[in-house]
Amino acid sequence: MNEPDGTRPESRESGEAEKRLSSTELAELALSIKRWGEELGFQQLGICDTELAAHEERLEQWLSDGMHGSMDYMQRHGTKRSRPPELLPGTFRVISARMDYLTNAARPATDLLDEPETALVSRYALGRDYHKVLRRRLQKLASRITEEIGPFAYRVFVDSAPVLEKALAEKAGLGWIGKHSNLLNRKAGSWFFLGEIYTDLPLPVDRPAVNHCGDCSRCIDACPTGAIVAPYTVDARRCISYLTIELKGAIPEELRPLMGNRIYGCDDCQLVCPWNRFAGASGETDFLPRHGLDSSALVELFSWTEEKFLTRTEGSAIRRAGYEGWLRNIAVALGNVDLSEAENPAAVRSALTARMDHSSPLVREHVEWAISVLAFN
């Protein structure tokens, strides 16, 4: 959801690859690219063309319905998101890659859901910022291709520009977009990151994935805030991931009690998905939990100074929420603690009281809400 990262494409005259490489050589190169990608730590790579008309139509309807909330950048780039050649002129193919991130080293999220005084952070954000990890690997892959065929035009993306990454991954055969809007793979579930290389290389394309959701509606039923308003349609304005990360203002009061102890993102729709029984553990040390964020008490995290927040979240995706957003989210989580069942109700009250005079009106408002809610339990 970030803005373009400024990665510059390598330049050469369009059409040079067609002149230099035969169809047989391009097919062999495609196989090599997938092999090199796996050697670099990706679990799967696929190749697709850039035709996304059906996805563009759904995106325009979603935007028209206002389901993007305050994410104005979703509209600002126009059709660049659904028409790759408009984002990078000359783009003819997209190399899509996925990398697993789930780790057995983290405390299970299902356990944390039963511990309201413990913070629950989305699994993808527990370790090092995935943008940096995947971007570096994809750049290495592009460099390896250059070594093989010489300079070619490309640009690497990892959630860093207007890219319909899930639609492209689906076309490239990496999985299908599930009813919760995440990409699903029959052999790996949905616990993985995606990244792309836009290129003008006329590589052979892979067969698109087939949808296997069937009649299952577990993700829809499990969403805490009812954000999955219809199969394959998520209203971001109700999604906890949006509320805790993208939203910069006040969280709607009617949604706060539904957030529980989720302070950064939400994985509930993935936790109940049957396909995730096939998900394997990642071997990437970069994705291991940092600073105990898989088992930290809410009151401990709420006590962090801005300096400590910036230090502990250096190189982490959590930085995106910002310090104010971090405190806002935790204040809501503290307000959702049932003091009659809390191990240390005095600590919860004390943590909130200590922030009543915070310099941020946004933080103060959420602290006041939490204190008022706790007064009734």
Side-chain angles (χ1 to χ4, degrees):
M1 294 184 179
N2 298 325
E3 293 300 287
D5 59 7
T7 305
R8 295 181 180 276
E10 298 291 335
S11 61
R12 62 171 174 79
E13 292 184 9
S14 179
E16 182 178 327
E18 292 92 326
K19 298 175 184 177
R20 193 169 65 219
L21 300 174
S22 67
S23 58
T24 299
E25 290 171 325
L26 286 167
E28 292 175 350
L29 177 60
L31 292 174
S32 295
I33 288 172
K34 294 172 185 178
R35 185 178 71 253
W36 298 332
E38 291 176 3
E39 291 171 355
L40 286 167
F42 293 103
Q43 276 65 56
Q44 186 181 4
L45 290 90
I47 300 167
C48 68
D49 60 36
T50 63
E51 202 286 310
L52 297 172
H55 291 280
E56 179 178 293
E57 183 178 348
R58 286 194 289 271
L59 173 62
E60 290 179 346
Q61 183 61 56
W62 185 77
L63 291 169
S64 177
D65 292 338
M67 293 189 184
H68 59 300
S70 63
M71 296 184 289
D72 296 334
Y73 58 84
M74 296 291 291
Q75 286 183 314
R76 190 163 58 241
H77 297 291
T79 54
K80 285 184 178 180
R81 190 175 300 275
S82 53
R83 302 179 188 181
E86 290 186 9
L87 179 61
L88 181 64
T91 298
F92 193 65
R93 294 286 186 260
V94 176
I95 301 169
S96 181
R98 67 174 184 85
M99 181 181 288
D100 296 344
Y101 66 81
L102 194 64
T103 170
N104 291 332
R107 286 198 61 201
T110 49
D111 290 353
L112 299 178
L113 285 170
D114 295 326
E115 299 178 14
E117 292 171 82
T118 305
L120 179 51
V121 174
S122 186
R123 305 293 88 180
Y124 83 87
L126 291 175
R128 181 172 172 77
D129 188 345
Y130 67 96
H131 298 87
K132 298 177 181 179
V133 176
L134 269 70
R135 187 182 297 125
R136 187 178 298 114
R137 305 288 180 87
L138 287 171
Q139 183 58 54
K140 287 183 177 180
L141 175 57
S143 297
R144 181 67 183 83
I145 298 172
T146 301
E147 291 176 7
E148 185 72 15
I149 66 171
F152 70 103
Y154 72 89
R155 186 169 175 180
V156 169
F157 297 108
V158 181
D159 195 20
S160 54
V163 173
L164 283 181
E165 60 177 11
K166 287 177 282 190
L168 291 167
E170 185 176 65
K171 288 204 73 175
L174 271 58
W176 72 94
I177 298 174
K179 294 179 181 178
H180 47 20
S181 83
N182 293 310
L183 197 76
L184 282 166
N185 182 285
R186 293 185 71 179
K187 298 179 180 180
S190 61
W191 301 102
F192 50 78
F193 296 123
L194 295 173
E196 302 78 36
I197 299 177
Y198 279 25
T199 178
D200 64 350
L201 290 174
L203 299 163
V205 299
D206 291 297
R207 182 178 299 175
V210 176
N211 190 303
H212 293 283
C213 281
D215 296 328
C216 181
S217 62
R218 294 187 193 182
C219 59
I220 299 174
D221 300 335
C223 182
T225 56
I228 309 175
V229 295
Y232 313 104
T233 304
V234 175
D235 188 339
R237 296 167 297 184
R238 299 189 63 86
C239 178
I240 293 176
S241 288
Y242 166 80
L243 296 172
T244 56
I245 303 171
E246 296 297 324
L247 182 65
K248 302 309 176 186
I251 296 172
E253 286 196 30
E254 68 273 15
L255 298 179
R256 296 177 193 180
L258 306 177
M259 293 169 59
N261 60 341
R262 303 168 186 84
I263 67 167
Y264 190 91
C266 178
D267 294 325
D268 286 37
C269 60
Q270 297 189 86
L271 293 172
V272 300
C273 180
W275 289 106
N276 271 325
R277 68 181 182 273
F278 300 114
S282 171
E284 297 291 334
T285 57
D286 280 322
F287 300 148
L288 294 174
R290 303 168 113 191
H291 306 300
L293 284 173
D294 62 323
S295 60
S296 295
L298 290 170
V299 293
E300 176 192 347
L301 300 182
F302 202 51
S303 70
W304 283 7
T305 61
E306 184 168 13
E307 181 181 5
K308 190 168 187 176
F309 169 79
L310 293 174
T311 299
R312 293 294 180 90
T313 60
E314 185 175 2
S316 165
I318 292 175
R319 277 278 184 93
R320 186 165 180 81
Y323 183 56
E324 279 186 292
W326 177 253
L327 294 180
R328 174 200 62 185
N329 299 343
I330 301 174
V332 170
L334 287 169
N336 289 331
V337 174
D338 185 343
L339 295 184
S340 65
E341 298 181 2
E343 291 185 11
N344 195 342
V348 173
R349 291 187 185 277
S350 177
L352 287 166
T353 302
R355 294 289 190 184
M356 287 182 63
D357 297 324
H358 193 274
S359 60
S360 166
L362 179 68
V363 174
R364 289 201 305 273
E365 190 272 314
H366 287 75
V367 167
E368 291 167 3
W369 172 84
I371 291 175
S372 67
V373 169
L374 293 179
F376 291 96
N377 72 39

